[in-house]
Amino acid sequence: MSDSVEGYDSDNIFAKILRGEIPCDRVYEDDHVLAFRDINPQAPVHVLVIPKGPYRSIVDLAEQGSDVEIAAWVRAQAHLARELGVADSGFRILSNCGVDGHQEVAHLHMHLFGGCDLGRMIEPAG
Ligand code: DGP
């Protein structure tokens, strides 16, 4: 795991959750990954799957994370889809990155949505 990633703000809310300073409704944890329910759920199943390392986005993780961390993060998402009962019915995984992506929390997170018809992916840009 990378100790420091340039530009990473360790005061972000998910860093505080990782340090145990803020509670979360945890659904999964291993050496490299934590997953918890979104505080403002957009679907019956809505969890956030985060690497424990200090990565702002998938770009940081891909460029500075280890293969073990990357594999753990991806596997946790599939594991949770199965565990939360949406692997067969269908689900969506989505990661907002940066300004154009409207990322609110600057710690890499994958949203996992499911449990209902999620509609079309995105509205066409105007
Ligand atoms: P975004 O960065 O735009 O992909 O969205 C961040 C998500 O994080 C948003 O859906 C709400 C969620 N969130 C923000 N603060 C907290 C928190 O303190 N606890 C939990 N569980 N979720 C949070």
mmCIF file of all heavy atoms in Angstrom, residues 31-65:
data_model
loop_
_atom_site.group_PDB
_atom_site.id
_atom_site.type_symbol
_atom_site.label_atom_id
_atom_site.label_comp_id
_atom_site.label_asym_id
_atom_site.label_seq_id
_atom_site.Cartn_x
_atom_site.Cartn_y
_atom_site.Cartn_z
ATOM 1 N N ASP A 31 -8.191 -6.877 4.498
ATOM 2 C CA ASP A 31 -6.946 -6.127 4.731
ATOM 3 C C ASP A 31 -6.848 -4.864 3.869
ATOM 4 O O ASP A 31 -6.173 -3.898 4.258
ATOM 5 C CB ASP A 31 -5.729 -7.005 4.423
ATOM 6 C CG ASP A 31 -5.517 -8.063 5.491
ATOM 7 O OD1 ASP A 31 -6.170 -7.980 6.550
ATOM 8 O OD2 ASP A 31 -4.708 -8.980 5.244
ATOM 9 N N HIS A 32 -7.494 -4.874 2.718
ATOM 10 C CA HIS A 32 -7.294 -3.784 1.752
ATOM 11 C C HIS A 32 -8.541 -2.980 1.436
ATOM 12 O O HIS A 32 -8.445 -1.957 0.740
ATOM 13 C CB HIS A 32 -6.751 -4.363 0.438
ATOM 14 C CG HIS A 32 -5.470 -5.103 0.609
ATOM 15 N ND1 HIS A 32 -4.285 -4.476 0.873
ATOM 16 C CD2 HIS A 32 -5.192 -6.430 0.592
ATOM 17 C CE1 HIS A 32 -3.326 -5.369 0.996
ATOM 18 N NE2 HIS A 32 -3.846 -6.562 0.833
ATOM 19 N N VAL A 33 -9.689 -3.443 1.894
ATOM 20 C CA VAL A 33 -10.967 -2.869 1.453
ATOM 21 C C VAL A 33 -11.910 -2.705 2.635
ATOM 22 O O VAL A 33 -11.949 -3.554 3.545
ATOM 23 C CB VAL A 33 -11.640 -3.811 0.420
ATOM 24 C CG1 VAL A 33 -12.992 -3.242 -0.035
ATOM 25 C CG2 VAL A 33 -10.735 -4.037 -0.781
ATOM 26 N N LEU A 34 -12.685 -1.622 2.594
ATOM 27 C CA LEU A 34 -13.815 -1.439 3.521
ATOM 28 C C LEU A 34 -15.044 -1.096 2.672
ATOM 29 O O LEU A 34 -14.931 -0.332 1.704
ATOM 30 C CB LEU A 34 -13.530 -0.296 4.494
ATOM 31 C CG LEU A 34 -14.642 0.053 5.494
ATOM 32 C CD1 LEU A 34 -14.851 -1.090 6.497
ATOM 33 C CD2 LEU A 34 -14.315 1.349 6.243
ATOM 34 N N ALA A 35 -16.192 -1.648 3.046
ATOM 35 C CA ALA A 35 -17.448 -1.314 2.363
ATOM 36 C C ALA A 35 -18.508 -1.030 3.408
ATOM 37 O O ALA A 35 -18.577 -1.697 4.447
ATOM 38 C CB ALA A 35 -17.888 -2.449 1.449
ATOM 39 N N PHE A 36 -19.314 -0.008 3.120
ATOM 40 C CA PHE A 36 -20.344 0.411 4.074
ATOM 41 C C PHE A 36 -21.506 1.018 3.302
ATOM 42 O O PHE A 36 -21.371 1.407 2.136
ATOM 43 C CB PHE A 36 -19.769 1.420 5.082
ATOM 44 C CG PHE A 36 -18.968 2.537 4.475
ATOM 45 C CD1 PHE A 36 -19.569 3.730 4.097
ATOM 46 C CD2 PHE A 36 -17.601 2.386 4.253
ATOM 47 C CE1 PHE A 36 -18.840 4.762 3.535
ATOM 48 C CE2 PHE A 36 -16.848 3.414 3.675
ATOM 49 C CZ PHE A 36 -17.470 4.605 3.324
ATOM 50 N N ARG A 37 -22.656 1.103 3.976
ATOM 51 C CA ARG A 37 -23.850 1.627 3.316
ATOM 52 C C ARG A 37 -23.731 3.145 3.157
ATOM 53 O O ARG A 37 -23.261 3.842 4.065
ATOM 54 C CB ARG A 37 -25.107 1.260 4.112
ATOM 55 C CG ARG A 37 -25.346 -0.238 4.127
ATOM 56 C CD ARG A 37 -26.716 -0.622 4.624
ATOM 57 N NE ARG A 37 -26.758 -2.062 4.852
ATOM 58 C CZ ARG A 37 -27.007 -2.972 3.917
ATOM 59 N NH1 ARG A 37 -27.269 -2.581 2.678
ATOM 60 N NH2 ARG A 37 -27.008 -4.253 4.203
ATOM 61 N N ASP A 38 -24.186 3.617 1.993
ATOM 62 C CA ASP A 38 -24.187 5.051 1.728
ATOM 63 C C ASP A 38 -25.154 5.748 2.690
ATOM 64 O O ASP A 38 -26.248 5.248 2.964
ATOM 65 C CB ASP A 38 -24.598 5.310 0.275
ATOM 66 C CG ASP A 38 -24.287 6.730 -0.162
ATOM 67 O OD1 ASP A 38 -24.962 7.670 0.314
ATOM 68 O OD2 ASP A 38 -23.369 6.902 -0.993
ATOM 69 N N ILE A 39 -24.764 6.895 3.190
ATOM 70 C CA ILE A 39 -25.584 7.636 4.159
ATOM 71 C C ILE A 39 -26.855 8.177 3.499
ATOM 72 O O ILE A 39 -27.839 8.465 4.190
ATOM 73 C CB ILE A 39 -24.743 8.784 4.773
ATOM 74 C CG1 ILE A 39 -25.301 9.209 6.109
ATOM 75 C CG2 ILE A 39 -24.620 9.968 3.828
ATOM 76 C CD1 ILE A 39 -24.357 10.087 6.927
ATOM 77 N N ASN A 40 -26.851 8.297 2.185
ATOM 78 C CA ASN A 40 -27.983 8.857 1.436
ATOM 79 C C ASN A 40 -28.329 7.904 0.288
ATOM 80 O O ASN A 40 -28.072 8.202 -0.879
ATOM 81 C CB ASN A 40 -27.588 10.244 0.904
ATOM 82 C CG ASN A 40 -28.716 10.918 0.176
ATOM 83 O OD1 ASN A 40 -29.893 10.644 0.428
ATOM 84 N ND2 ASN A 40 -28.373 11.789 -0.766
ATOM 85 N N PRO A 41 -28.928 6.742 0.626
ATOM 86 C CA PRO A 41 -29.073 5.685 -0.389
ATOM 87 C C PRO A 41 -29.964 6.090 -1.558
ATOM 88 O O PRO A 41 -31.020 6.684 -1.368
ATOM 89 C CB PRO A 41 -29.677 4.516 0.400
ATOM 90 C CG PRO A 41 -30.240 5.105 1.646
ATOM 91 C CD PRO A 41 -29.438 6.335 1.944
ATOM 92 N N GLN A 42 -29.524 5.740 -2.746
ATOM 93 C CA GLN A 42 -30.244 6.051 -3.992
ATOM 94 C C GLN A 42 -30.961 4.825 -4.552
ATOM 95 O O GLN A 42 -31.585 4.908 -5.611
ATOM 96 C CB GLN A 42 -29.248 6.572 -5.031
ATOM 97 C CG GLN A 42 -28.395 7.738 -4.575
ATOM 98 C CD GLN A 42 -29.198 9.006 -4.359
ATOM 99 O OE1 GLN A 42 -30.001 9.385 -5.208
ATOM 100 N NE2 GLN A 42 -29.009 9.647 -3.222
ATOM 101 N N ALA A 43 -30.854 3.698 -3.871
ATOM 102 C CA ALA A 43 -31.481 2.451 -4.309
ATOM 103 C C ALA A 43 -31.594 1.561 -3.067
ATOM 104 O O ALA A 43 -30.919 1.824 -2.058
ATOM 105 C CB ALA A 43 -30.615 1.780 -5.376
ATOM 106 N N PRO A 44 -32.434 0.520 -3.121
ATOM 107 C CA PRO A 44 -32.561 -0.363 -1.945
ATOM 108 C C PRO A 44 -31.211 -0.918 -1.483
ATOM 109 O O PRO A 44 -30.970 -1.063 -0.285
ATOM 110 C CB PRO A 44 -33.502 -1.465 -2.444
ATOM 111 C CG PRO A 44 -34.340 -0.792 -3.498
ATOM 112 C CD PRO A 44 -33.413 0.178 -4.180
ATOM 113 N N VAL A 45 -30.360 -1.249 -2.428
ATOM 114 C CA VAL A 45 -28.962 -1.594 -2.110
ATOM 115 C C VAL A 45 -28.095 -0.453 -2.607
ATOM 116 O O VAL A 45 -28.135 -0.114 -3.800
ATOM 117 C CB VAL A 45 -28.531 -2.919 -2.785
ATOM 118 C CG1 VAL A 45 -27.033 -3.135 -2.632
ATOM 119 C CG2 VAL A 45 -29.322 -4.097 -2.224
ATOM 120 N N HIS A 46 -27.366 0.165 -1.709
ATOM 121 C CA HIS A 46 -26.422 1.224 -2.103
ATOM 122 C C HIS A 46 -25.276 1.212 -1.101
ATOM 123 O O HIS A 46 -25.406 1.708 0.017
ATOM 124 C CB HIS A 46 -27.096 2.593 -2.127
ATOM 125 C CG HIS A 46 -26.204 3.698 -2.626
ATOM 126 N ND1 HIS A 46 -26.638 5.001 -2.774
ATOM 127 C CD2 HIS A 46 -24.894 3.701 -3.013
ATOM 128 C CE1 HIS A 46 -25.641 5.745 -3.228
ATOM 129 N NE2 HIS A 46 -24.561 4.985 -3.367
ATOM 130 N N VAL A 47 -24.184 0.606 -1.514
ATOM 131 C CA VAL A 47 -23.008 0.564 -0.656
ATOM 132 C C VAL A 47 -21.833 1.218 -1.379
ATOM 133 O O VAL A 47 -21.819 1.346 -2.611
ATOM 134 C CB VAL A 47 -22.644 -0.872 -0.220
ATOM 135 C CG1 VAL A 47 -23.784 -1.520 0.560
ATOM 136 C CG2 VAL A 47 -22.235 -1.733 -1.381
ATOM 137 N N LEU A 48 -20.858 1.625 -0.587
ATOM 138 C CA LEU A 48 -19.632 2.231 -1.084
ATOM 139 C C LEU A 48 -18.485 1.288 -0.765
ATOM 140 O O LEU A 48 -18.357 0.836 0.382
ATOM 141 C CB LEU A 48 -19.399 3.585 -0.407
ATOM 142 C CG LEU A 48 -20.540 4.595 -0.603
ATOM 143 C CD1 LEU A 48 -20.344 5.800 0.325
ATOM 144 C CD2 LEU A 48 -20.623 5.046 -2.045
ATOM 145 N N VAL A 49 -17.696 0.983 -1.776
ATOM 146 C CA VAL A 49 -16.582 0.039 -1.616
ATOM 147 C C VAL A 49 -15.299 0.829 -1.818
ATOM 148 O O VAL A 49 -15.068 1.377 -2.908
ATOM 149 C CB VAL A 49 -16.685 -1.105 -2.644
ATOM 150 C CG1 VAL A 49 -15.641 -2.179 -2.327
ATOM 151 C CG2 VAL A 49 -18.095 -1.700 -2.678
ATOM 152 N N ILE A 50 -14.492 0.912 -0.759
ATOM 153 C CA ILE A 50 -13.306 1.774 -0.832
ATOM 154 C C ILE A 50 -12.040 0.974 -0.530
ATOM 155 O O ILE A 50 -12.039 0.097 0.335
ATOM 156 C CB ILE A 50 -13.416 2.992 0.123
ATOM 157 C CG1 ILE A 50 -13.272 2.607 1.598
ATOM 158 C CG2 ILE A 50 -14.734 3.727 -0.086
ATOM 159 C CD1 ILE A 50 -13.196 3.807 2.537
ATOM 160 N N PRO A 51 -10.962 1.291 -1.259
ATOM 161 C CA PRO A 51 -9.671 0.738 -0.860
ATOM 162 C C PRO A 51 -9.214 1.445 0.416
ATOM 163 O O PRO A 51 -9.576 2.607 0.651
ATOM 164 C CB PRO A 51 -8.759 1.089 -2.043
ATOM 165 C CG PRO A 51 -9.360 2.315 -2.637
ATOM 166 C CD PRO A 51 -10.847 2.239 -2.380
ATOM 167 N N LYS A 52 -8.441 0.761 1.241
ATOM 168 C CA LYS A 52 -7.957 1.398 2.471
ATOM 169 C C LYS A 52 -6.799 2.353 2.211
ATOM 170 O O LYS A 52 -6.510 3.219 3.039
ATOM 171 C CB LYS A 52 -7.550 0.329 3.484
ATOM 172 C CG LYS A 52 -8.747 -0.440 4.031
ATOM 173 C CD LYS A 52 -8.350 -1.415 5.125
ATOM 174 C CE LYS A 52 -9.594 -2.011 5.782
ATOM 175 N NZ LYS A 52 -9.250 -3.022 6.813
ATOM 176 N N GLY A 53 -6.155 2.210 1.084
ATOM 177 C CA GLY A 53 -5.021 3.074 0.756
ATOM 178 C C GLY A 53 -5.473 4.478 0.383
ATOM 179 O O GLY A 53 -6.647 4.710 0.075
ATOM 180 N N PRO A 54 -4.526 5.431 0.382
ATOM 181 C CA PRO A 54 -4.846 6.858 0.190
ATOM 182 C C PRO A 54 -4.952 7.244 -1.282
ATOM 183 O O PRO A 54 -4.117 7.989 -1.814
ATOM 184 C CB PRO A 54 -3.662 7.555 0.860
ATOM 185 C CG PRO A 54 -2.523 6.626 0.611
ATOM 186 C CD PRO A 54 -3.095 5.234 0.670
ATOM 187 N N TYR A 55 -6.001 6.759 -1.932
ATOM 188 C CA TYR A 55 -6.168 7.017 -3.368
ATOM 189 C C TYR A 55 -7.397 7.880 -3.605
ATOM 190 O O TYR A 55 -8.468 7.585 -3.097
ATOM 191 C CB TYR A 55 -6.303 5.691 -4.121
ATOM 192 C CG TYR A 55 -5.187 4.735 -3.779
ATOM 193 C CD1 TYR A 55 -5.444 3.564 -3.073
ATOM 194 C CD2 TYR A 55 -3.873 5.030 -4.123
ATOM 195 C CE1 TYR A 55 -4.415 2.703 -2.728
ATOM 196 C CE2 TYR A 55 -2.834 4.177 -3.784
ATOM 197 C CZ TYR A 55 -3.113 3.014 -3.089
ATOM 198 O OH TYR A 55 -2.093 2.177 -2.739
ATOM 199 N N ARG A 56 -7.242 8.923 -4.391
ATOM 200 C CA ARG A 56 -8.373 9.814 -4.688
ATOM 201 C C ARG A 56 -9.290 9.221 -5.736
ATOM 202 O O ARG A 56 -10.502 9.454 -5.700
ATOM 203 C CB ARG A 56 -7.861 11.166 -5.202
ATOM 204 C CG ARG A 56 -7.092 11.972 -4.182
ATOM 205 C CD ARG A 56 -6.334 13.096 -4.852
ATOM 206 N NE ARG A 56 -5.370 12.551 -5.830
ATOM 207 C CZ ARG A 56 -4.577 13.269 -6.577
ATOM 208 N NH1 ARG A 56 -4.635 14.592 -6.521
ATOM 209 N NH2 ARG A 56 -3.727 12.702 -7.415
ATOM 210 N N SER A 57 -8.722 8.510 -6.678
ATOM 211 C CA SER A 57 -9.501 8.023 -7.811
ATOM 212 C C SER A 57 -8.897 6.731 -8.321
ATOM 213 O O SER A 57 -7.812 6.300 -7.882
ATOM 214 C CB SER A 57 -9.518 9.055 -8.941
ATOM 215 O OG SER A 57 -8.261 9.023 -9.602
ATOM 216 N N ILE A 58 -9.581 6.148 -9.297
ATOM 217 C CA ILE A 58 -9.072 4.906 -9.889
ATOM 218 C C ILE A 58 -7.735 5.154 -10.590
ATOM 219 O O ILE A 58 -6.919 4.233 -10.722
ATOM 220 C CB ILE A 58 -10.131 4.296 -10.842
ATOM 221 C CG1 ILE A 58 -9.788 2.842 -11.156
ATOM 222 C CG2 ILE A 58 -10.294 5.143 -12.087
ATOM 223 C CD1 ILE A 58 -10.918 2.088 -11.830
ATOM 224 N N VAL A 59 -7.492 6.402 -10.983
ATOM 225 C CA VAL A 59 -6.207 6.713 -11.617
ATOM 226 C C VAL A 59 -5.079 6.544 -10.597
ATOM 227 O O VAL A 59 -4.048 5.918 -10.884
ATOM 228 C CB VAL A 59 -6.225 8.139 -12.207
ATOM 229 C CG1 VAL A 59 -4.864 8.498 -12.778
ATOM 230 C CG2 VAL A 59 -7.304 8.261 -13.272
ATOM 231 N N ASP A 60 -5.269 7.091 -9.396
ATOM 232 C CA ASP A 60 -4.260 6.917 -8.337
ATOM 233 C C ASP A 60 -4.054 5.432 -8.025
ATOM 234 O O ASP A 60 -2.913 4.963 -7.884
ATOM 235 C CB ASP A 60 -4.708 7.604 -7.038
ATOM 236 C CG ASP A 60 -4.574 9.118 -7.076
ATOM 237 O OD1 ASP A 60 -3.922 9.645 -8.004
ATOM 238 O OD2 ASP A 60 -5.124 9.763 -6.158
ATOM 239 N N LEU A 61 -5.166 4.706 -7.883
ATOM 240 C CA LEU A 61 -5.039 3.290 -7.518
ATOM 241 C C LEU A 61 -4.301 2.519 -8.611
ATOM 242 O O LEU A 61 -3.390 1.719 -8.315
ATOM 243 C CB LEU A 61 -6.423 2.680 -7.279
ATOM 244 C CG LEU A 61 -6.416 1.185 -6.940
ATOM 245 C CD1 LEU A 61 -5.712 0.918 -5.615
ATOM 246 C CD2 LEU A 61 -7.842 0.624 -6.899
ATOM 247 N N ALA A 62 -4.682 2.750 -9.854
ATOM 248 C CA ALA A 62 -4.060 2.013 -10.953
ATOM 249 C C ALA A 62 -2.575 2.354 -11.083
ATOM 250 O O ALA A 62 -1.754 1.493 -11.387
ATOM 251 C CB ALA A 62 -4.791 2.312 -12.260
ATOM 252 N N GLU A 63 -2.238 3.642 -10.844
ATOM 253 C CA GLU A 63 -0.847 4.071 -11.051
ATOM 254 C C GLU A 63 0.034 3.816 -9.833
ATOM 255 O O GLU A 63 1.244 3.642 -9.977
ATOM 256 C CB GLU A 63 -0.825 5.563 -11.414
ATOM 257 C CG GLU A 63 -1.430 5.848 -12.790
ATOM 258 C CD GLU A 63 -1.442 7.321 -13.179
ATOM 259 O OE1 GLU A 63 -1.151 8.176 -12.315
ATOM 260 O OE2 GLU A 63 -1.754 7.607 -14.339
ATOM 261 N N GLN A 64 -0.563 3.821 -8.635
ATOM 262 C CA GLN A 64 0.268 3.755 -7.434
ATOM 263 C C GLN A 64 -0.075 2.605 -6.495
ATOM 264 O O GLN A 64 0.660 2.334 -5.552
ATOM 265 C CB GLN A 64 0.174 5.092 -6.689
ATOM 266 C CG GLN A 64 0.640 6.248 -7.580
ATOM 267 C CD GLN A 64 0.672 7.582 -6.866
ATOM 268 O OE1 GLN A 64 1.323 7.725 -5.852
ATOM 269 N NE2 GLN A 64 -0.046 8.542 -7.393
ATOM 270 N N GLY A 65 -1.209 1.959 -6.710
ATOM 271 C CA GLY A 65 -1.583 0.836 -5.865
ATOM 272 C C GLY A 65 -0.922 -0.451 -6.334
ATOM 273 O O GLY A 65 -0.398 -0.537 -7.448
#
